[in-house]
Amino acid sequence: MKDIHDMECLLVGKRGAATGVTWGRGNPAPSIIRRDGLVTKGWGILCLFRKHFVSISARGDLGSAAFDVGGRVAGIVTGGEGMTDTLDITYVTPMEWLMKDMKNNGNGIFIP
């Protein structure tokens, strides 16, 4: 898939309680998120369609599954910065990180 700048990108969708199904571009670099004195990492999903600029997520979408065009779960929505005049970013915790944490804490999980 190509974005508006004709660059290859990973298309990511999510279906949330507040915004329904929305689509964005997965940022290849992890994000460092600093909020309320807490520092964490996440995967940034950026607005893909500039001509139809809608927020990827909103209050009420936390915990929604993010998925690729093949329907594979890519992660869980954990936050966002909200829409500005030039940017909208939603943060997702990748499933790989979540599955590793669950395994390290004694919770077995299998996703076929």
Side-chain angles (χ1 to χ4, degrees), residues 31 38 40 56 73:
S31 297
L38 188 67
T40 186
I56 297 168
V73 176

Side-chain angles (χ1 to χ4, degrees), residues 13-57:
K14 77 104 203 63
R15 182 181 177 119
T19 56
V21 176
T22 56
W23 295 93
R25 176 189 201 279
N27 189 358
S31 297
I32 303 297
I33 305 159
R34 293 178 176 88
R35 183 172 289 140
D36 300 328
L38 188 67
V39 179
T40 186
K41 288 194 296 186
W43 180 32
I45 309 298
L46 308 169
C47 178
L48 180 67
F49 306 108
R50 278 314 268 167
K51 291 181 181 176
H52 307 286
F53 192 60
V54 296
S55 185
I56 297 168
S57 67

